[in-house]
Amino acid sequence: MAMAAEVAWAVTAVTSRAYTIQDDVVEGGEVVSGLIPMVDMANHDGAVTPKTAKGIEPDGSAFVVLATEPIAKGEQVFLSYGQLPNFLLLQ
């Protein structure tokens, strides 16, 4: 029974942190999910217009975060995981 609980935890940990990789990056046009280390550590801001944009480089070589408007020195940089409240993301 403990093994089933560990597998369930592992599946939840992976799927909750997975990032959808656009089909133009993956050979054959397939849409896949991938883990991008440390990106899930960024704080979420569900603002309608976030100050950042994120994604995979077209050649798949890197994950990038870009400022979409000025960010003041010392201001925290947030990523948006979509229009979801934090309590849903924690589940």
Side-chain angles (χ1 to χ4, degrees), residues 27-52:
E27 188 174 320
E30 185 178 347
V31 176
V32 298
S33 293
L35 295 178
I36 312 295
M38 301 304 292
V39 171
D40 63 327
M41 300 296 289
N43 285 330
H44 163 71
D45 183 2
V48 176
T49 53
K51 292 184 175 183
T52 60

Side-chain angles (χ1 to χ4, degrees), residues 2-81:
M3 177 71 121
E6 290 174 2
V7 169
W9 175 87
V11 168
T12 302
V14 170
T15 57
S16 68
R17 292 169 171 80
Y19 181 82
T20 300
I21 299 173
Q22 301 300 322
D23 60 353
D24 57 339
V25 174
V26 181
E27 188 174 320
E30 185 178 347
V31 176
V32 298
S33 293
L35 295 178
I36 312 295
M38 301 304 292
V39 171
D40 63 327
M41 300 296 289
N43 285 330
H44 163 71
D45 183 2
V48 176
T49 53
K51 292 184 175 183
T52 60
K54 63 188 183 318
I56 303 285
E57 287 284 355
D59 64 359
S61 65
F63 184 87
V64 295
V65 176
L66 302 172
T68 56
E69 61 182 75
I71 298 173
K73 182 178 179 178
E75 183 179 356
Q76 186 169 349
V77 176
F78 293 94
L79 297 182
S80 175
Y81 303 143

